[in-house]
Amino acid sequence: MNKLNPNTPDGNLANKWKDQLFNFKLVNPANKRKFDIIVIGCGLAGSSAAASLAELGYNIKIFTYHDSPRRAHSIAAQGGINAAKNYQNDGDNVHRLFYDTIKGGDFRSREANVHRLAEISEKIIDQCVAQGVPFARDYGGHLDNRSFGGAQVSRTFYAKGQTGQQLLLGAYGALNRQIHKKKVTVYNYHEMLDLVVIDGKAVGVVTRDLRTGEISSHAAHAIVLASGGYSNIFYLSTNAKASNATAIWRAHKKGAFFANPCFTQIHPTCIPASGHYQSKLTLMSESLRNDGRVWVPKKKNDGRYPEQIPQNERDYFLERKYPSFGNLVPRDVAARNIKEVCDEGFGVGSTGLAVYLDFEDAIKRLGEEEIESKYGNLFEMYELITGDDPFVTPMKIYPAAHYTMGGLWVDYNLMSTIPGLFVLGEANFSDHGANRLGASALMQGLADGYFVIPYTLGNYLATANVGKPDVQSPEFKEAEKSISTETGKMLASNGTTTPDEIHRKLGEIMRDYVGMARNAAGLKIANAEIQKLKQEFKNNLKISMQSENLNDSLEKAGRVKDFLELAELMAEDALQRNESCGGHFRTEYQTPEGEALRNDRKFAHVSAWEYIGKNKQHKLHIEKLKFEYIKLSSRSYK
Amino acid sequence: MKMNIKIWRQAFQTTRGNFQTYILENMDDNMSFLEMLDVLNEKILHEGGDPVSFSHDCREGICGSCGVVINGRVHGPLQGVTTCQIYMRHLKHYKTLVIEPWRARAFPIIKDLVTDRQAFDRILQAGGYISINTGGIPDANATPIGRHIADQAFAAASCIGCGACVAACPNASANLFVSAKISHLAFLPQGQPEKNHRVESMLKAMDKEGFGNCSNTAACEFECPKGITLKNIAKLNREYFEALFRSSLEEHPTHPHHGKGDEVAHAAFHDTHEK
């Protein structure tokens, strides 16, 4: 095991970022236009980075597989964005946001990064308001806040249930302005399929135009990856259908270490799958657990309608097991318990993979009108999808994967282990440790894009002495060739299993063995099953042969191939981490009460994995986490 | 549930398309419309064919990717939803589903049900933003904005850019889409400095893309999945008149984006409104 250096600046925590900004080398304004930068992904992190860098004068190329940058999955974020503004005068400050985030992440994130995030949070809100983001306001015209899990202050800014949409449209506007000025060139319908590294530095990418099949090379002085997370490895997740790991995985195979791949967040309240055809899952807001009561029948495989089951034959298991927090236990605890009762055979619905979230008591207590005003839009959405009216019959819910804390390893400057390759947003691993708090993903994406990368990338360009790379160089040609060969191979495959079928099977394996609760025996089974699936993919793939226009099955096949490899690493990482923390719950490591049992002596570190070749075991590198400002403690919700 | 599915198939933008009919059986009430297409595509793939291309991504009605015409209705027979929010139980009284792409000159078909809506991006690039660089911004609460103003701006800003307004319009006009952005920014104090230039520039870009003119049929409002109202078009027109009036009073050729060709936009506008 080698040790990794996060390049965290010395000095007092609160001054680290300020000092670092002063110590950075700068690129002269007149010289900035001599540098080309490639950005992959156009969500909050990618769009904000591309726009901010272009404003400084760099030439930007931004790539997305969507038809427009506005489609990126950041658009679907509902709840809000945290910032330590203390507008509510409830005692919030930078240190408190820092503390909550470290604790919420179960002490598995880097103090210096998280503190910087908290410092920057305030500026993000200013920036967004100036762009015209219509946040919710009070009658006096000032910004409104709400509270979210894991915090005792109201620091979440929101725009109804569409905060992600409004923030993304703000960043997309900033991007559009630079496109109009010709400082940014946007490549819609382009998927990054490889990273090109010359003399140890990231200098380009190879992309495929999804509309024509054309493979092309693009060179730049630095590359920014902001391609999002990999929850779709579970097949059923709250992510958009196209969200995938290909960009980060292929960069990983070119030398970027992958950190904490097993840290995934499962959201407890999603609308359950209704049949074998299920394509994705929809989140139902966490706020519903304020008034809804979670229960299952006391009898296994009880076929009765919920209304027919009398009170004394119902098990309100969260209230029973966690009398003080009840239905409002944190996400990971709720999710795990729901899975447990379903695994034991108490689940409801046609698949047995659901529990009731019942508003009967709340309706009796508060009246239908009050419930309507609080949750009306959510009830409507639920009814649209399931056909059931929650006023009449209890909701059915089940947990689903929706965020990945793991990602490519980056240092304090957001640079990966490949010089010149920077990784932002959900694609990196940096700020959320083993569990992300609600409303912190938007904050991190925009912090990285607007207020970190413009400085750290400038310092790299000013010091790294990168020459203008040439797309005609053999490294580019080789990468193009290997992509063409691989695409050709897939197009020529003539088996019987479609990419979706393989992906669904992979999802089942991941949900069963690498999901909410894991153990060594299960993780070994997962590994064996993944090997079988990889063989299936290799020998029996069936896709459409269309090569010169849109071919969904070909795109999916490439992404599924990468998911299969990443799945193996996730299982290995989960097996190696012999403790439970945050979203990573190993059943062997729990307190007598069934809570997560951390092992700080052995595992207060980041596990960063190095790819060393096909069919070879990944090599593990360790970054020790030092907690100088926060005392390690354990969480309890009894 | 068993159904005939009649779908527009077109291999390339330049080739002729036609309808093809497929039969699907054993469909479930709770299957979404897009999941029905998934099932159909798996079937086509197993039979050795080329699956139907359709745009989709978030499948919860917010990304704006999806959008087809189902039995003559844009985004299907329900109001206030996108195509991905239609479920088979909403369609079960039909024996046949006729599924077509958006039809508009400015949205050329790429393949099957997928159309190229990048014209929308180009319109927004022409001025659908507030020109502000990152950093150096005063505190977010420095400028209070009345709640009713903020709410109106939000309502206009909730447009998802799906193109249903264009597809529903007999003239394939993009007025509702453009007006949503104009209104969103015109309501806010931050949007004031550039408002005249913005409306002129965006309308010019709109005309260049080949969208039709608005003749107030209100089909766009009826079919908009996000409830963007015609009031936005009224506001667009007011903003445009004001901009014309002011630009005749003030000389402002110094704006970096203001160039030749504005006369064309003015002329096109008068074409629409003087009939």
Side-chain angles (χ1 to χ4, degrees):
Chain A
M1 286 194 294
N2 295 336
K3 285 201 175 113
L4 269 173
N5 181 5
N7 295 318
T8 308
D10 296 330
N12 185 283
L13 185 66
N15 295 325
K16 282 181 197 282
W17 181 232
K18 280 177 218 146
D19 293 350
Q20 183 88 331
L21 286 177
F22 178 72
N23 290 329
F24 276 153
K25 296 276 180 295
L26 300 173
V27 179
N28 177 302
N31 283 338
K32 288 198 175 92
R33 74 177 83 99
K34 294 177 188 159
F35 289 109
D36 301 330
I37 298 165
I38 283 173
V39 179
I40 304 294
C42 56
L44 287 178
S47 288
S48 59
S52 304
L53 289 164
E55 286 161 12
L56 292 173
Y58 301 110
N59 309 307
I60 312 293
K61 284 182 176 182
I62 185 167
F63 293 84
T64 168
Y65 51 70
H66 293 290
D67 66 335
S68 159
R70 68 181 298 155
R71 311 281 185 224
H73 191 51
S74 304
I75 201 120
Q78 300 171 0
I81 176 166
N82 289 331
K85 279 284 196 188
N86 194 30
Y87 281 166
Q88 305 306 322
N89 197 30
D90 53 4
D92 198 12
N93 56 42
V94 167
H95 195 84
R96 192 178 293 280
L97 175 54
F98 158 70
Y99 176 81
D100 288 347
T101 308
I102 292 276
K103 184 184 171 199
D106 219 355
F107 305 94
R108 290 294 174 265
S109 40
R110 205 185 275 153
E111 276 190 338
N113 280 57
V114 176
H115 198 274
R116 175 178 65 191
L117 177 67
E119 288 170 50
I120 289 173
S121 68
E122 297 186 50
K123 288 210 267 185
I124 298 172
I125 305 303
D126 302 340
Q127 183 70 32
C128 295
V129 165
Q131 287 171 343
V133 170
F135 283 120
R137 286 172 185 271
D138 60 24
Y139 286 104
H142 297 101
L143 292 161
D144 195 20
N145 291 116
R146 58 186 172 199
S147 349
F148 248 71
Q152 287 168 311
V153 292
S154 282
R155 62 159 77 98
T156 306
F157 294 79
Y158 64 100
K160 287 203 175 151
Q162 288 155 248
T163 318
Q165 181 200 24
Q166 294 308 320
L167 294 175
L168 183 64
L169 293 181
Y172 164 73
L175 183 68
N176 277 339
R177 177 169 163 245
Q178 296 304 319
I179 295 170
H180 193 67
K181 289 182 164 179
K182 304 204 168 16
K183 287 305 290 179
V184 174
T185 311
V186 61
Y187 292 82
N188 294 332
Y189 287 112
H190 279 67
E191 179 163 31
M192 170 186 152
L193 290 181
D194 210 353
L195 179 78
V196 178
V197 180
I198 300 180
D199 297 334
K201 288 177 185 143
V203 291
V205 294
V206 176
T207 61
R208 181 174 176 275
D209 186 333
L210 305 180
R211 294 162 301 185
T212 60
E214 193 197 344
I215 311 273
S216 53
S217 287
H218 303 268
H221 295 89
I223 317 291
V224 175
L225 279 189
S227 54
Y230 51 91
S231 291
N232 266 349
I233 203 163
F234 293 91
Y235 189 79
L236 292 181
S237 83
T238 63
N239 280 17
K241 288 297 285 177
S243 300
N244 68 78
T246 289
I248 53 172
W249 188 252
R250 301 208 177 173
H252 169 61
K253 286 171 86 171
K254 284 295 175 79
F257 293 4
F258 206 118
N260 299 334
C262 79
F263 285 174
T264 48
Q265 183 168 74
I266 313 282
H267 199 289
T269 53
C270 300
I271 300 177
S274 59
H276 61 278
Y277 47 79
Q278 189 80 31
S279 60
K280 74 155 286 180
L281 297 168
T282 303
L283 192 84
M284 292 269 78
S285 170
E286 190 163 89
S287 63
L288 290 169
R289 284 193 282 139
N290 278 303
D291 286 306
R293 297 179 71 195
V294 176
W295 65 276
V296 289
K298 280 184 180 164
K299 206 169 83 188
K300 280 187 188 179
N301 306 314
D302 194 327
R304 288 175 294 175
Y305 287 111
E307 301 82 3
Q308 296 169 328
I309 302 174
Q311 281 296 336
N312 60 4
E313 291 176 40
R314 299 176 177 191
D315 179 13
Y316 293 90
F317 56 95
L318 289 179
E319 296 171 23
R320 173 170 58 78
K321 286 163 90 172
Y322 305 93
S324 62
F325 273 70
N327 295 297
L328 271 177
V329 288
R331 286 178 181 178
D332 48 344
V333 179
R336 212 160 46 236
N337 279 280
I338 293 168
K339 179 188 179 337
E340 252 170 53
V341 294
C342 291
D343 286 350
E344 285 161 14
F346 296 100
V348 299
S350 59
T351 58
L353 290 178
V355 300
Y356 292 121
L357 179 62
D358 199 339
F359 293 86
E360 193 185 352
D361 289 347
I363 292 168
K364 273 186 204 151
R365 192 175 71 243
L366 304 165
E368 210 162 291
E369 212 169 299
E370 170 85 17
I371 294 294
E372 166 76 40
S373 79
K374 268 181 151 171
Y375 308 115
N377 57 342
L378 293 168
F379 279 27
E380 259 172 50
M381 186 156 105
Y382 180 85
E383 191 177 354
L384 187 66
I385 293 174
T386 63
D388 287 340
D389 179 0
F391 281 111
V392 180
T393 186
M395 278 186 179
K396 293 197 234 0
I397 51 130
Y398 195 72
H402 92 128
Y403 189 87
T404 48
M405 283 75 71
L408 292 184
W409 184 89
V410 288
D411 67 4
Y412 184 71
N413 298 327
L414 303 183
M415 190 161 85
S416 70
T417 47
I418 305 175
L421 178 72
F422 292 79
V423 190
L424 318 185
E426 194 181 346
N428 76 25
F429 87 105
S430 70
D431 295 345
H432 306 295
N435 176 52
R436 180 180 63 77
L437 289 183
S440 282
L442 304 183
M443 171 174 66
Q444 186 222 336
L446 290 179
D448 290 359
Y450 283 133
F451 296 111
V452 179
I453 196 71
Y455 310 114
T456 60
L457 189 55
N459 179 58
Y460 169 76
L461 293 173
T463 52
N465 197 19
V466 197
K468 169 79 179 170
D470 178 10
V471 290
Q472 298 306 328
S473 57
E475 287 87 349
F476 278 98
K477 291 295 149 202
E478 209 165 287
E480 281 182 28
K481 208 176 119 196
S482 89
I483 296 300
S484 301
T485 314
E486 195 181 306
T487 311
K489 227 195 266 172
M490 286 196 287
L491 285 167
S493 62
N494 196 17
T496 55
T497 317
T498 66
D500 257 355
E501 285 165 344
I502 294 173
H503 195 177
R504 268 177 207 280
K505 274 190 216 164
L506 174 65
E508 274 169 35
I509 297 169
M510 297 306 281
R511 294 197 298 275
D512 286 349
Y513 302 112
V514 198
M516 287 174 269
R518 303 138 175 201
N519 58 54
L523 289 165
K524 283 173 190 152
I525 298 173
N527 190 292
E529 295 285 316
I530 294 166
Q531 298 309 324
K532 275 190 233 163
L533 259 192
K534 280 172 90 174
Q535 284 306 313
E536 177 82 7
F537 185 93
K538 200 172 156 200
N539 303 323
N540 199 24
L541 181 69
K542 170 100 190 161
I543 63 168
S544 164
M545 269 142 23
Q546 162 70 254
S547 66
E548 284 154 1
N549 200 347
L550 297 177
N551 183 346
D552 233 38
S553 60
L554 175 66
E555 292 166 29
K556 276 183 200 161
R559 294 167 190 168
V560 169
K561 187 170 182 280
D562 294 333
F563 275 143
L564 284 165
E565 295 177 10
L566 171 56
E568 229 180 312
L569 184 63
M570 277 173 74
E572 196 179 339
D573 185 45
L575 188 61
Q576 163 271 150
R577 191 170 276 277
N578 288 315
E579 64 161 352
S580 295
C581 58
H584 169 66
F585 189 81
R586 283 278 301 270
T587 54
E588 304 99 314
Y589 306 101
Q590 48 181 312
T591 63
E593 297 87 33
E595 300 309 324
L597 188 63
R598 282 201 328 259
N599 183 341
D600 292 330
R601 205 167 52 79
K602 279 190 173 159
F603 293 98
H605 65 232
V606 177
S607 307
W609 299 88
E610 180 186 3
Y611 179 85
I612 49 170
K614 209 174 169 184
N615 300 325
K616 283 189 187 147
Q617 283 263 318
H618 272 75
K619 195 170 155 194
L620 178 63
H621 300 260
I622 296 294
E623 180 201 331
K624 281 263 170 231
L625 292 170
K626 275 181 275 175
F627 292 92
E628 297 171 75
Y629 297 87
I630 288 184
K631 204 169 151 262
L632 290 156
S633 62
S634 65
R635 310 188 296 168
S636 166
Y637 301 97
K638 287 278 167 188
Chain B
M1 198 189 316
K2 179 183 168 181
M3 255 182 208
N4 298 320
I5 317 284
K6 217 172 148 183
I7 298 186
W8 184 260
R9 302 301 311 262
Q10 182 172 335
F12 293 94
Q13 190 181 323
T14 46
T15 52
R16 269 180 96 88
N18 63 331
F19 280 105
Q20 267 177 44
T21 306
Y22 306 88
I23 296 169
L24 270 189
E25 293 176 38
N26 301 324
M27 281 183 294
D28 189 294
D29 271 14
N30 291 321
M31 188 184 260
S32 75
F33 172 80
L34 295 187
E35 283 165 354
M36 179 276 288
L37 288 181
D38 292 340
V39 170
L40 174 66
N41 274 344
E42 289 287 287
K43 189 172 167 239
I44 294 175
L45 202 48
H46 277 297
E47 288 165 359
D50 187 35
V52 182
S53 289
F54 61 97
S55 301
H56 65 99
D57 200 26
C58 77
R59 299 200 176 194
E60 34 190 270
I62 192 74
C63 75
S65 296
C66 68
V68 295
V69 177
I70 307 170
N71 290 2
R73 285 286 303 278
V74 170
H75 282 310
L78 302 193
Q79 252 187 300
V81 299
T82 54
T83 300
C84 64
Q85 294 173 303
I86 299 279
Y87 284 77
M88 293 314 286
R89 83 182 85 89
H90 302 133
L91 302 170
K92 63 179 174 187
H93 53 286
Y94 295 116
K95 274 191 186 137
T96 301
L97 294 183
V98 181
I99 305 168
E100 296 170 79
W102 285 173
R103 306 272 189 194
R105 186 171 53 161
F107 291 164
I109 291 174
I110 295 176
K111 187 187 169 194
D112 300 333
L113 305 173
V114 179
T115 55
D116 182 344
R117 289 165 290 185
Q118 293 177 91
F120 271 9
D121 288 317
R122 290 188 290 268
I123 296 172
L124 294 182
Q125 285 157 18
Y129 41 77
I130 287 164
S131 296
I132 185 155
N133 284 352
T134 302
I137 311 277
D139 187 84
N141 260 347
T143 310
I145 301 172
R147 186 170 170 165
H148 62 292
I149 301 279
D151 286 351
Q152 280 174 291
F154 174 84
S158 61
C159 166
I160 57 173
C162 64
C165 46
V166 174
C169 178
N171 312 329
S173 162
N175 263 33
L176 192 70
F177 169 79
V178 176
S179 72
K181 187 49 69 186
I182 294 288
S183 288
H184 159 212
L185 299 176
F187 273 121
L188 297 171
Q190 290 87 351
Q192 298 311 305
E194 294 172 286
K195 64 185 229 137
N196 295 332
H197 165 68
R198 177 180 304 117
V199 66
E200 290 186 81
S201 176
M202 286 177 72
L203 283 181
K204 192 170 86 182
M206 178 183 86
D207 288 333
K208 215 167 114 189
E209 295 292 344
F211 289 103
N213 293 325
C214 173
S215 52
N216 288 317
T217 65
C220 53
E221 180 187 63
F222 187 79
E223 295 289 29
C224 175
K226 294 293 148 186
I228 308 288
T229 64
L230 278 188
K231 281 183 188 166
N232 292 294
I233 297 186
K235 189 164 176 70
L236 166 77
N237 289 340
R238 278 199 305 278
E239 291 289 325
Y240 187 64
F241 279 123
E242 192 186 328
L244 284 185
F245 182 63
R246 288 194 188 279
S247 58
S248 68
L249 290 180
E250 301 160 12
E251 284 180 63
H252 65 99
T254 46
H255 198 289
H257 308 148
H258 195 87
K260 285 178 200 163
D262 291 50
E263 309 76 35
V264 183
H266 295 196
F269 179 81
H270 290 298
D271 278 348
T272 324
H273 293 268
E274 285 177 2
K275 275 171 194 162

